[in-house]
Structures are given as structure tokens and as C-alpha cells.
């Protein structure tokens, strides 16, 4: 092998080295900064890129994908002097690789310390009750403050989330007792309101029932009075008719009236609950005469009806001597 061959081989090897030094491949999700004599010149995008060998060099390799940063537990003193522990998590993304590479040193540490200090300041400006119940408000405040602070670094903080807030155990026990007391108070209030509503409903029901009962009694009394009025009118009409008959000289009307009252009195005596045997002296001829008067009145009112009238009841001449009552079967027993 001559010297010319060695020179050619050396030249080829040099060309290959230069090509490898000038061609750079950037993976997806990353950005490479290019420095020329120590000064930033441009940023390489994902894919195949060419730089000037031995003059340009790769400065920083920045990950532009969204990344998560775990914030360690922080001791926080609230506005009402209550101590609690809180830990959080932050999500950020590099938007400008050059600014993230050259505006801040140790990017993750800077973001972590900035988030920790803002957690203490935001949560320390709130009361404990507000701190435990308004976690979303805390997240919004932290996101706004931290994102504004890292803006000059070419960083975008997408989310800051409080994972857990742990008050002291004695404070948790006190809060549990308070919650229990509040719930018992609420239960007693609801029970009292239910009892009051039930009593009101029962009183209204009793009132409505009394009103309906009074209306029913009034209606019954009205109808009873109306019935008595009708009965009195009928009695008055009957008495008037009998009186007119008597005034006209009709003795049979008197017999009808007396026989009716006599028969009603006998029926009342016979149906009495405290009487077993009733023996009373009476004249059968008087009762028979009254019944005859009733028959004569009926013939006068209804007429003969096309048939032969029944023969009038005769009254036989009583025998001489004492008259014996046919209903008197023995001595009257009191």
C-alpha cells in the first residue's frame, strides 16, 4: 500500500467523522439547543438536523412533554393558629426550551421550592374550616401564583393539586365531636318540627271532625223539628176535623176519637215492660159502642161500596140485677 492509498483512506474516514459530527437526530418530545462558541444560536426540532461540525455543539436537551413534580409534605399554620400538614403535586410543561435552559438553573428544584413556599402562604391566609372545605379554591390560587412566577422561564404550570390535608389528631377528634353535636341538634330540631306538625294536623283533623259532627247534629235536629212540625200539623188537622164534626152535631165523631185514645191507652198498658198481668174493671158495652161508632164513620166516609151494609151493632137491654163484666175473671190483683 502506497502513501497515496493511506491518504485516501484517511480522507474518507475524516469525511465520515465530519458527517457524523454534523448530523443530529432529535427524538419526539425533546428540543435541543445549539451553541456556537458557547453562545445560543437556535433550537433543533424533532427529526434529522444538520449543524456545523466542530463549531456548533448541542447545549441542552430539554424535555417538552408535561411532567409531574411531587411536592413533599409541608407544615402549615393557618390564620386561626391551627397547625396542619399538606402535600401536593404539580404538573408543568416546557414551552420555550431556550428560556428553560438559560433563564434558570436546576429547573425542577426551582419549581419545587416555588410551589412549596406558595402552599404555605396561600394556606396560611385561610382558617382551618375554610381550608378543609375549599380545596378547589386553594388549587386555583396556587396554580395562578406559581404559573405567573415561572412564566419568564418558558414554563407552563398546568395543574397544582393538594393531595391531602392532615390536621392534628386532637383537632380531628374535636371536629368529630362538633359534627356529632351538630347532627344531634339537627335531628332534635327535625324531630320537634315533626311532632309539632303532627299535633297541628291532629288538631285540624279533630276540628274538622267536630265541625262535621256539629253540622250533622244540626241537620238531624232540623229534620227532627221538621218531622215534629209535620206531625203537629197532621194532629192539628185531625183535631180540627174532629172538632168540626162535633160542632156539626155528629156524635159518632166523638165516639171515634174516644175509642182511638182508649185503644192506644190499652195498647200502652199491655206492652209495658214492668207489667205481667193487668186486671181492670171495664164495661164491654162502652167499648163495643165505640167500635160501632167507628164503623158508622167509616161507612159515611167510604160509602157502602156497592155491597150490603153490615148490620148495626145492637145493644141488648141489660138484665135486672148487677151487671157482670165479661172481662172480669176474678178479683182485681194489684
Amino acid at each position: 500500500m502506497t502513501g497515496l492509498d493511506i491518504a485516501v483512506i484517511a480522507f474518507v474516514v475524516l469525511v465520515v467523522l465530519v458527517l457524523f459530527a454534523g448530523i443530529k437526530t432529535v427524538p419526539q418530545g425533546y428540543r435541543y439547543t445549539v451553541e456556537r462558541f458557547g453562545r445560543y444560536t437556535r433550537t433543533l426540532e424533532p427529526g434529522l438536523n444538520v449543524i456545523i461540525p466542530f463549531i456548533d455543539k448541542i447545549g441542552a436537551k430539554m424535555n417538552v412533554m408535561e411532567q409531574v413534580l411531587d411536592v413533599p409534605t409541608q407544615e402549615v399554620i393557618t390564620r386561626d393558629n391551627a397547625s396542619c400538614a399538606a402535600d401536593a403535586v404539580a404538573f408543568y410543561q416546557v414551552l420555550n426550551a431556550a428560556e428553560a435552559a438559560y433563564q434558570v438553573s436546576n429547573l425542577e428544584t426551582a419549581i419545587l421550592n416555588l410551589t412549596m413556599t406558595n402552599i404555605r402562604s396561600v394556606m396560611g391566609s385561610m382558617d382551618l374550616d375554610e381550608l378543609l372545605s375549599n380545596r378547589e379554591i386553594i388549587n386555583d390560587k396556587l396554580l395562578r401564583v406559581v404559573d405567573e412566577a415561572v412564566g419568564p422561564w418558558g414554563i407552563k404550570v398546568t395543574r397544582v393539586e393538594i393531595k391531602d390535608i392532615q390536621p392534628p389528631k386532637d383537632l380531628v377528634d374535636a371536629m368529630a365531636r362538633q359534627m356529632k353535636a351538630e347532627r344531634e341538634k339537627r335531628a332534635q330540631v327535625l324531630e320537634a318540627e315533626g311532632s309539632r306538625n303532627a299535633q297541628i294536623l291532629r288538631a285540624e283533623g279533630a276540628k274538622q271532625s267536630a265541625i262535621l259532627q256539629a253540622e250533622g247534629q244540626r241537620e238531624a235536629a232540623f229534620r227532627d223539628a221538621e218531622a215534629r212540625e209535620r206531625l203537629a200539623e197532621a194532629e192539628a188537622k185531625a183535631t180540627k176535623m174532629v172538632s168540626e164534626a162535633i160542632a156539626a152535631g155528629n156524635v159518632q165523631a166523638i165516639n171515634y176519637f174516644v175509642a182511638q185514645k182508649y185503644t192506644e191507652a190499652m195498647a200502652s198498658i199491655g206492652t209495658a215492660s214492668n207489667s205481667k198481668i193487668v186486671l181492670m174493671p171495664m164495661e164491654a158495652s162502652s167499648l163495643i159502642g165505640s167500635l160501632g161508632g167507628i164503623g158508622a164513620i167509616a161507612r159515611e166516609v167510604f160509602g157502602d161500596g156497592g155491597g150490603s151494609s153490615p148490620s148495626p151493632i145492637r145493644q141488648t137491654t141489660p138484665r135486672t140485677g148487677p151487671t157482670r163484666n165479661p172481662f172480669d175473671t176474678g178479683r182485681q190483683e194489684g
Side-chain angles (χ1 to χ4, degrees):
M1 180 179 294
T2 62
L4 181 62
D5 296 334
I6 296 173
V8 170
I9 294 172
F11 179 76
V12 172
V13 172
L14 180 61
V15 170
V16 172
L17 291 176
V18 170
L19 291 176
F20 274 104
I23 297 174
K24 300 294 180 182
T25 302
V26 180
Q28 186 66 39
Y30 284 83
R31 300 291 186 275
Y32 290 176
T33 61
V34 178
E35 298 176 358
R36 179 174 297 174
F37 302 114
R39 182 175 181 274
Y40 167 77
T41 57
R42 60 192 177 98
T43 302
L44 300 182
E45 298 294 330
L48 187 64
N49 296 271
V50 178
I51 62 174
I52 300 174
F54 309 112
I55 297 176
D56 294 341
K57 69 175 184 178
I58 302 299
K61 300 178 180 180
M62 304 302 300
N63 185 352
V64 296
M65 294 181 290
E66 188 172 2
Q67 302 178 62
V68 60
L69 188 62
D70 191 12
V71 181
T73 303
Q74 300 295 308
E75 291 292 334
V76 179
I77 304 297
T78 61
R79 186 170 57 186
D80 52 353
N81 296 325
S83 176
C84 62
D87 54 354
V89 61
F91 296 84
Y92 71 94
Q93 184 178 12
V94 176
L95 299 181
N96 191 319
E99 292 180 353
Y102 302 110
Q103 294 293 332
V104 60
S105 176
N106 200 346
L107 179 63
E108 288 189 357
T109 303
I111 297 175
L112 181 62
N113 284 278
L114 186 62
T115 305
M116 290 166 54
T117 55
N118 280 281
I119 285 176
R120 286 193 291 268
S121 63
V122 171
M123 297 179 66
S125 62
M126 304 172 68
D127 294 333
L128 181 62
D129 293 338
E130 186 181 2
L131 192 69
L132 296 175
S133 60
N134 296 322
R135 189 170 298 186
E136 292 183 359
I137 297 177
I138 298 174
N139 294 337
D140 292 339
K141 288 183 178 180
L142 285 174
L143 177 61
R144 185 175 62 254
V145 172
V146 176
D147 184 57
E148 183 179 356
V150 300
W153 302 343
I155 304 297
K156 173 65 178 177
V157 177
T158 56
R159 287 187 301 273
V160 177
E161 301 287 341
I162 299 296
K163 292 195 298 184
D164 191 17
I165 300 175
Q166 298 177 354
K169 190 175 184 307
D170 56 348
L171 190 58
V172 173
D173 295 338
M175 292 172 63
R177 291 194 300 270
Q178 179 184 2
M179 180 183 65
K180 183 178 179 181
E182 289 290 338
R183 292 185 179 274
E184 290 178 352
K185 173 184 175 182
R186 193 181 308 169
Q188 292 176 358
V189 170
L190 292 176
E191 184 178 358
E193 290 180 354
S195 177
R196 183 189 65 180
N197 293 334
Q199 292 178 0
I200 291 174
L201 292 176
R202 284 196 293 267
E204 290 179 353
K207 175 184 175 182
Q208 190 68 20
S209 176
I211 291 174
L212 294 176
Q213 185 177 3
E215 290 180 353
Q217 292 177 355
R218 184 183 67 178
E219 184 68 19
F222 176 76
R223 293 184 180 274
D224 190 17
E226 188 177 10
R228 289 197 301 270
E229 182 180 357
R230 298 289 184 270
L231 182 60
E233 290 178 357
E235 290 287 342
K237 187 174 182 181
T239 304
K240 180 179 179 183
M241 294 176 64
V242 172
S243 299
E244 290 177 353
I246 294 172
N250 191 349
V251 181
Q252 292 177 352
I254 299 176
N255 292 334
Y256 168 75
F257 187 74
V258 173
Q260 182 184 8
K261 296 299 181 182
Y262 190 79
T263 305
E264 292 177 357
M266 292 301 296
S268 299
I269 294 173
T271 58
S273 61
N274 58 352
S275 62
K276 302 301 180 182
I277 298 176
V278 180
L279 299 177
M280 298 179 63
M282 62 182 68
E283 293 184 3
S285 60
S286 299
L287 180 59
I288 293 172
S290 299
L291 294 176
I294 295 172
I297 293 173
R299 286 194 298 273
E300 290 181 0
V301 174
F302 300 104
D304 294 340
S308 59
S309 61
S311 59
I313 300 174
R314 295 180 183 177
Q315 292 184 356
T316 59
T317 305
R319 301 176 183 177
T320 59
T323 303
R324 185 174 179 271
N325 191 349
F327 297 98
D328 191 4
T329 58
R331 186 181 303 171
Q332 180 178 3
E333 295 179 8

